[in-house]
Amino acid sequence: METVISAPATCYHCGNECPDETIHIEEKNFCCDGCKTVYQILDQNNLCQYYEIDKTAGVRPQIARLAFLDNAEIINQLIDFQNDEIIKISFYIPSIHCSSCLYLLENLYKIHPAVRSSKVDFLQKQVVVTFEKKALSVRELCELLTSLGYEPLISLNDVVKEKQAPSYRKLLTQVAVAGFCSGNIMLFSFPEYLGLQDDTYKHLFGYLNIILALPVVFYSASGYFDSVWKSLKKGIINIDFPILLGILVAFFRGTYEVLFLDGAGYFDSLTGLVFFLLIGKWFQQKTFNFLSFERDYKSYFPLAVTRLVLGKEEAIPVNNLKKGDKIIVRNGELIPADSMLYKGMASIDYSFVTGEAALENKKVGDFLYAGGRQVGESIEMEVLKEVSQSYLTQLWNNDTFQKEQESGIKTFADLVGKYFTISVLTLATLVGTYWYFHDASRVMNAFTAILIIACPCALSLSYPFALGNGLRLLSKKHFYLKNAEVIETMAHCDTIVFDKTGTLTTSEGSLPIFHGLRPLTAFEQMMVGSLVRHSSHPISQKIKELYHEPKALAIENFEEIAGKGIKGTYHGHQLVLGSYQLVVPESLPLESSFKASVAHLKIDDNYLGYFSLPNHYREGIESLMQQVQGKYDTYLLSGDNNAEKQNLLAWFGDTTKMRFECSPQDKLNFIKNLQAKGKKVMMVGDGLNDAGALKQANVGIAITDDTLNFTPSSDAILEAPFLNQLPSFLAYTKDALTVIRVSFVVSLVYNFIGLTFAVSGTLSPVVAAILMPISSATMVLIATTGMIWRGKKWLGV
């Protein structure tokens, strides 16, 4: 029966405060007809059933506080990317706390068919969702997350979704309640402790203990109820289940003893258990934030962008880019921030964002999203949003660019976590049954202690904390890894393949020299200077320095052919600049071997000559090669000629280990052949003509010299001046695995010893609750101090 009452109440469905006119059904209050209808149809908000109904009948539960998400201007500030088909958006969700959260949030597509993918960054408490634009709105997505118990924290004053400061207010209140009640219960239990037999006080204190235990179990421990209920609704038994089971068993068993057996119950142990569990949870959260090795992306992404200031170009770090700056993006370079195109024709490859390779043509005035890659002529744009390097690094970790290789250590930890809960429940039941028939006084201690003491948290903390600290320390040496798993993969590599030009060698400090039958005219120089302006290749950039003009000519039909060169036209004049094979006619008898990097020039089918760019080896390369010899198989792949073959022979030892005049496909095939022989290959290159090889290698390291042109398929970025420290980085990764293995062993030993005492029934649940966070702290301490200790040896930090 439905009635309308005039009294303040809370809506049963959405939790909002009801208006004066409140709908009342079956002793439940609803704020509107929508919430009432949803409740009636959905039978207590079954989400899977809800979305079936939503598709057929259009019923959709709305949450009033999220109404601002219907505003298009706000949506445009929140989303990371959108096109005609999809929207990609990131949310900060403070309630993410365990593996069940991870599982549920990464399986949103099973709950709503419009969700294409969802990826969780556990340490940042962030979820990135890609969904179909026409089938789901941002508000509906937020309502879905909220109804699952994961409401996004959205600040309209700061729509750049950097990490929010964590709040511990609720948790600390729960700790305070548990501590207060636990202390008083211990006080009321003194007659039992002292062996006093006054039944009057014994019964009174017993009843008071029950009353004091109620807020501890149903308020302080409410987080466990929420976590377990949400996981059970999805058919999952999570890690909190055995802990909650132990709490409930202790509470109801204690209540039964007080009411019917004249016993004292277990309320002192129960409330002490909850108190120390919450202390452990608080400690773990504080530790995650204090030792937060989630990267400060503004120092982790060593890329530069070309900014225009009064018509002059200057290279600046991307984190110095501000809203309103004018920038140039050349062929192959990334758009560093959301911008508006104001000059040039853009053909944007958003595969870096969406994972799908398709060019989108944009015209002047169009909005360009960060993460797109320009293909074709250089374009100029105005920055509309400041750079979010966390977003760029998130794109770098797009599933499209992940390599299909298993982490042995992580797989082991995941395997333990997967079967842990069922194993612990089985063990606790068997042990409890045994003691029930042999010594009933030990049943409660044994059963509860097993559920508490056996915890895979310590095991699962070792891997991320150790490798996370490794990421942080390596970044201080200007070596930036895509993610923590790269450290483990690097440690297993046994073969290193080097690119030559731009990797072992550099052209810094040199300007190219033109060699031709005649000097270039001023007009030809202007055309060449305008052509190379569109390319980010090192040789192009050096030629641009040679023929720099304040105002460039408008080159049309620009094209860059990977590994070969560039083409373009100006008022009907055809310009080609590049390799011998691309430019030099077969009929022209010309020596094809040069003592330097060269770029041949042809204008209107007339070969005019070539630019030579003297190269010299980077500082410390000889020491680098000496240190890796004997420890790794080393190879050289170069797109250049073999002029340096004799000089390189001393480092590689055998001409069969050096390949010259390699195309990008040749490099890729060479890596594949090594892997087919069982080699674990690390490729070190500049990412320009060896992107495929970097992607194919087990670990691809891109060497960078202030550029926005790098391949997302690389696993690491190393600033060029620090290449000579690569042997130290490799040694450090091997020590990192040793630290993790040691912490794993310690964790397993802890669980074994703890379970031995718990099974015997001699371990108090309170002691178990104290030991559990101590074990986690120990694992964190071993992981962090171990990595710092090895870092001082190999990295000097």
Side-chain angles (χ1 to χ4, degrees):
M1 180 177 179
E2 177 179 329
T3 61
V4 177
I5 61 175
S6 297
T10 300
C11 179
Y12 179 81
H13 173 66
C14 69
N16 290 333
E17 184 176 339
C18 295
D20 293 337
E21 297 294 318
T22 301
I23 301 170
H24 191 73
I25 308 175
E26 299 174 357
E27 299 183 354
K28 296 178 177 65
N29 301 311
F30 297 92
C31 63
C32 63
D33 287 328
C35 285
K36 175 204 71 174
T37 305
V38 169
Y39 169 74
Q40 289 177 322
I41 294 177
L42 302 184
D43 186 23
Q44 299 179 351
N45 194 22
N46 183 305
L47 285 171
C48 296
Q49 180 185 354
Y50 152 58
Y51 281 108
E52 285 299 314
I53 295 172
D54 182 45
K55 288 186 290 184
T56 57
V59 178
R60 175 171 62 90
Q62 290 192 321
I63 300 175
R65 64 180 177 275
L66 298 178
F68 68 92
L69 292 176
D70 289 330
N71 186 305
E73 292 184 5
I74 293 174
I75 295 301
N76 288 335
Q77 294 181 73
L78 290 173
I79 61 176
D80 297 326
F81 172 81
Q82 69 172 332
N83 57 21
D84 293 338
E85 295 183 1
I86 66 167
I87 292 177
K88 187 170 186 176
I89 191 168
S90 305
F91 292 120
Y92 173 66
I93 301 179
S95 55
I96 295 175
H97 73 284
C98 70
S99 57
S100 293
C101 304
L102 192 71
Y103 174 83
L104 185 60
L105 289 171
E106 292 198 340
N107 284 273
L108 290 177
Y109 68 93
K110 295 180 179 178
I111 299 174
H112 198 298
V115 176
R116 289 194 179 181
S117 67
S118 51
K119 187 173 182 180
V120 175
D121 186 328
F122 183 78
L123 297 177
Q124 282 194 303
K125 296 184 181 296
Q126 187 180 66
V127 61
V128 181
V129 185
T130 302
F131 59 96
E132 294 174 7
K133 186 176 182 179
K134 296 179 180 178
L136 188 66
S137 70
V138 173
R139 178 178 179 178
E140 289 170 334
L141 175 62
C142 287
E143 288 170 340
L144 167 60
L145 292 169
T146 301
S147 57
L148 289 171
Y150 300 99
E151 181 172 356
L153 180 59
I154 302 173
S155 170
L156 295 183
N157 295 321
D158 183 17
V159 295
V160 179
K161 295 170 286 301
E162 301 297 332
K163 185 180 178 183
Q164 307 288 331
S167 173
Y168 305 107
R169 182 174 181 177
K170 181 179 179 181
L171 178 58
L172 291 176
T173 303
Q174 291 173 324
V175 170
V177 170
F180 172 81
C181 294
S182 178
N184 282 279
I185 286 174
M186 289 181 182
L187 181 64
F188 292 143
S189 300
F190 261 86
E192 182 71 21
Y193 298 156
L194 300 176
L196 303 179
Q197 300 300 319
D198 190 322
D199 289 343
T200 302
Y201 285 106
K202 182 178 180 180
H203 292 153
L204 175 61
F205 289 159
Y207 298 145
L208 289 174
N209 286 346
I210 293 177
I211 294 172
L212 287 170
L214 286 170
V216 176
V217 173
F218 296 104
Y219 173 69
S220 294
S222 61
Y224 294 103
F225 285 91
D226 292 340
S227 173
V228 171
W229 173 241
K230 288 168 185 172
S231 67
L232 289 178
K233 284 198 299 183
K234 302 302 170 186
I236 305 166
I237 297 179
N238 67 1
I239 193 175
D240 289 336
F241 184 86
I243 296 175
L244 179 61
L245 182 62
I247 291 171
L248 291 177
V249 168
F251 176 74
F252 288 112
R253 173 65 183 179
T255 302
Y256 175 77
E257 284 199 7
V258 170
L259 297 179
F260 301 105
L261 301 179
D262 292 332
Y266 305 93
F267 298 112
D268 52 348
S269 297
L270 167 63
T271 54
L273 165 67
V274 174
F275 175 71
F276 285 110
L277 283 174
L278 294 176
I279 288 288
K281 182 181 288 188
W282 172 82
F283 169 79
Q284 188 178 53
Q285 289 184 12
K286 290 287 287 184
T287 303
F288 264 108
N289 286 282
F290 178 73
L291 292 175
S292 182
F293 45 78
E294 61 175 302
R295 297 180 262 183
D296 175 5
Y297 296 100
K298 292 185 177 179
S299 64
Y300 259 73
F301 224 58
L303 301 179
V305 63
T306 303
R307 181 170 64 182
L308 284 172
V309 180
L310 300 176
K312 295 184 178 180
E313 299 179 10
E314 63 175 10
I316 62 168
V318 286
N319 57 289
N320 290 347
L321 205 57
K322 303 297 181 184
K323 181 178 178 180
D325 282 349
K326 307 294 193 300
I327 61 173
I328 295 177
V329 174
R330 300 180 180 86
N331 176 64
E333 291 186 334
L334 294 178
I335 298 172
D338 291 351
S339 307
M340 182 190 72
L341 179 66
Y342 72 83
K343 185 177 181 180
M345 297 300 294
S347 295
I348 309 298
D349 174 11
Y350 278 117
S351 61
F352 200 18
V353 181
T354 65
E356 300 174 1
L359 291 180
E360 295 188 15
N361 295 320
K362 301 292 183 180
K363 60 184 183 300
V364 171
D366 283 350
F367 186 88
L368 305 179
Y369 285 98
R373 184 189 293 274
Q374 165 64 357
V375 177
E377 65 183 66
S378 59
I379 54 178
E380 297 180 15
M381 60 192 72
E382 179 178 338
V383 176
L384 299 181
K385 278 188 186 179
E386 292 193 10
V387 174
S388 171
Q389 296 209 49
S390 57
Y391 174 62
L392 292 179
T393 304
Q394 175 198 110
L395 294 180
W396 193 15
N397 280 279
N398 190 310
D399 288 339
T400 307
F401 308 114
Q402 297 298 324
K403 299 178 180 179
E404 296 181 0
Q405 47 194 18
E406 290 290 330
S407 163
I409 293 177
K410 190 171 186 294
T411 301
F412 172 70
D414 290 345
L415 189 65
V416 172
K418 181 178 180 180
Y419 297 105
F420 168 81
T421 303
I422 297 298
S423 302
V424 169
L425 289 173
T426 304
L427 178 63
T429 302
L430 292 175
V431 171
T433 304
Y434 171 83
W435 284 119
Y436 180 79
F437 292 105
H438 290 79
D439 185 352
S441 65
R442 297 193 180 192
V443 171
M444 185 56 59
N445 265 7
F447 183 81
T448 309
I450 288 173
L451 295 177
I452 302 302
I453 194 70
C455 179
C457 293
L459 191 65
S460 61
L461 283 174
S462 302
Y463 185 84
F465 266 88
L467 297 189
N469 274 279
L471 284 178
R472 180 176 59 84
L473 294 175
L474 286 169
S475 74
K476 291 184 177 181
K477 303 300 289 185
H478 306 272
F479 188 34
Y480 311 91
L481 306 186
K482 175 185 288 188
N483 52 49
E485 286 76 13
V486 176
I487 294 179
E488 182 183 350
T489 312
M490 282 182 63
H492 292 143
C493 287
D494 53 23
T495 303
I496 305 177
V497 178
F498 292 96
D499 175 45
K500 182 176 78 72
T501 307
T503 303
L504 298 182
T505 65
T506 179
S507 58
E508 289 297 319
S510 304
L511 282 178
I513 301 171
F514 181 72
H515 305 270
L517 299 177
R518 62 171 177 80
L520 297 180
T521 66
F523 177 60
E524 290 170 337
Q525 291 179 9
M526 287 182 66
M527 288 195 295
V528 172
S530 300
L531 176 69
V532 296
R533 184 174 182 267
H534 296 281
S535 171
S536 59
H537 193 280
I539 294 179
S540 295
Q541 290 300 297
K542 283 296 180 180
I543 296 174
K544 188 187 78 171
E545 290 182 28
L546 184 66
Y547 297 141
H548 180 68
E549 292 290 337
K551 189 173 182 180
L553 302 177
I555 299 295
E556 299 176 343
N557 304 319
F558 176 84
E559 179 184 4
E560 185 157 3
I561 305 169
K564 293 185 178 181
I566 56 179
K567 298 179 178 180
T569 61
Y570 176 71
H571 286 207
H573 295 290
Q574 304 287 332
L575 296 94
V576 183
L577 181 71
S579 67
Y580 181 91
Q581 292 80 4
L582 178 68
V583 178
V584 180
E586 293 182 4
S587 59
L588 185 64
L590 188 68
E591 174 60 46
S592 62
S593 179
F594 298 87
K595 298 297 183 182
S597 296
V598 299
H600 296 269
L601 174 65
K602 182 170 63 176
I603 299 179
D604 295 332
D605 292 328
N606 296 316
Y607 178 79
L608 300 181
Y610 63 90
F611 295 91
S612 67
L613 185 61
N615 286 316
H616 55 269
Y617 293 100
R618 295 187 187 276
E619 183 179 353
I621 289 298
E622 184 172 0
S623 173
L624 159 65
M625 300 307 301
Q626 289 174 350
Q627 291 181 65
V628 297
Q629 282 177 355
K631 299 178 182 178
Y632 299 88
D633 289 335
T634 55
Y635 295 88
L636 175 78
L637 299 179
S638 176
D640 276 354
N641 54 68
N642 62 359
E644 289 289 315
K645 186 175 183 179
Q646 292 303 315
N647 294 332
L648 294 166
L649 193 58
W651 294 342
F652 293 93
D654 188 344
T655 56
T656 61
K657 291 191 172 185
M658 296 185 289
R659 300 284 191 279
F660 298 95
E661 299 183 358
C662 296
S663 68
Q665 187 62 42
D666 293 335
K667 296 178 180 180
L668 173 61
N669 293 337
F670 186 83
I671 299 294
K672 283 185 176 180
N673 291 335
L674 288 176
Q675 291 173 327
K677 297 175 183 177
K679 298 290 187 179
K680 301 292 184 183
V681 183
M682 175 187 296
M683 174 71 193
V684 184
D686 60 9
L688 292 174
N689 297 325
D690 44 28
L694 290 173
K695 180 179 180 180
Q696 180 63 38
N698 299 85
V699 175
I701 300 176
I703 306 300
T704 180
D705 281 302
D706 290 336
T707 177
L708 263 175
N709 193 330
F710 85 103
T711 170
S713 301
S714 65
D715 301 290
I717 302 173
L718 176 58
E719 292 190 37
F722 299 91
L723 175 60
N724 57 359
Q725 298 185 31
L726 182 61
S728 296
F729 300 153
L730 292 169
Y732 181 64
T733 61
K734 292 182 181 296
D735 280 3
L737 295 196
T738 301
V739 170
I740 294 172
R741 292 187 183 108
V742 169
S743 62
F744 271 24
V745 170
V746 173
S747 177
L748 292 173
V749 169
Y750 154 79
N751 275 277
F752 177 78
I753 295 175
L755 282 172
T756 301
F757 285 98
V759 166
S760 67
T762 58
L763 182 65
S764 165
V766 175
V767 176
I770 295 173
L771 291 176
M772 188 173 70
I774 289 177
S775 70
S776 297
T778 304
M779 293 306 102
V780 170
L781 185 65
I782 292 174
T784 54
T785 57
M787 295 299 288
I788 291 172
W789 171 49
R790 303 317 293 165
K792 287 182 178 179
K793 176 180 179 180
W794 295 113
L795 308 179
V797 294

